[in-house]
Amino acid sequence: MHIAILTFEGYNELDSLIALGVLNRVQADDWRVTVATPTERVTSMNGVTIGQMSSLTEALAADAVIVGSGIATREVVETPAIMDVLSGLDPQRQLIGAQCSGALVLARLGLLRDVPACTDLTTKPWVVAAGVDVLNQPFFARGNVATAGGCLSSPYLAAWLIARLRGEEEARAGLHYVAPVGEKDEYVDRAWHAIAPYLASHLQVSV
């Protein structure tokens, strides 16, 4: 099981790396989470440089993909070399999530046709201009496509993926691990309130 987090130059650390941390709470031999980048290295909006763990082409074969966010997303969607590759993303065979401005990438790929989305407040007008209705909530999913808005909604997106792929128990456990001490149950319940309505028909038994 491979989950790829698409991460571009100018990426937001909270969006890519928190998801990476939560997803890696799953301890299974067949569970692999990578940061997928268009180049060998990318540098964040705050100067944090990370190396490529997988390529964008490899992400096309992943079981699930998160499209990360950053300050250069508008440049990303105007880069044919990237968007031509990402046109191979397929919600018929993959779970696809977008964090904050990642929703703009999905919109430009045509993956949000007639599907409302969540995104951050800065990105909202660009997503609206792309013809997508933006919701005032942290998380929304329809079928195999999900979006999350606001940096600290990234655990919600990660938990949705874990729940879809591994079941509710492991998703809750992942959230519980990263939640603040003394607020763990409250945190997990709040997150679950946000994502549970979009899981009812999909939950699998944990293995």
Side-chain angles (χ1 to χ4, degrees), residues 142-164:
R142 181 175 292 170
N144 288 341
V145 178
T147 52
C151 299
L152 295 183
S153 67
S154 55
Y156 296 4
L157 190 55
W160 175 78
L161 285 175
I162 296 172
R164 288 290 307 273

Side-chain angles (χ1 to χ4, degrees), residues 59-134:
L60 299 183
D63 300 280
V65 175
I66 291 177
V67 182
S69 184
I71 60 172
T73 305
R74 285 189 292 175
E75 287 79 5
V76 168
V77 299
E78 298 298 338
T79 305
I82 292 176
M83 296 300 284
D84 288 350
V85 173
L86 298 186
S87 66
L89 293 175
D90 184 1
Q92 296 300 313
R93 60 179 177 80
Q94 297 172 297
L95 297 179
I96 299 176
Q99 178 66 39
C100 289
S101 65
L104 180 61
V105 176
L106 296 193
R108 293 289 290 271
L109 290 172
L111 298 180
L112 296 178
R113 293 191 184 99
D114 302 318
V115 178
C118 301
T119 191
D120 61 279
L121 298 180
T122 299
T123 306
K124 178 179 177 179
W126 309 330
V127 176
V128 170
V132 177
D133 182 25
V134 175

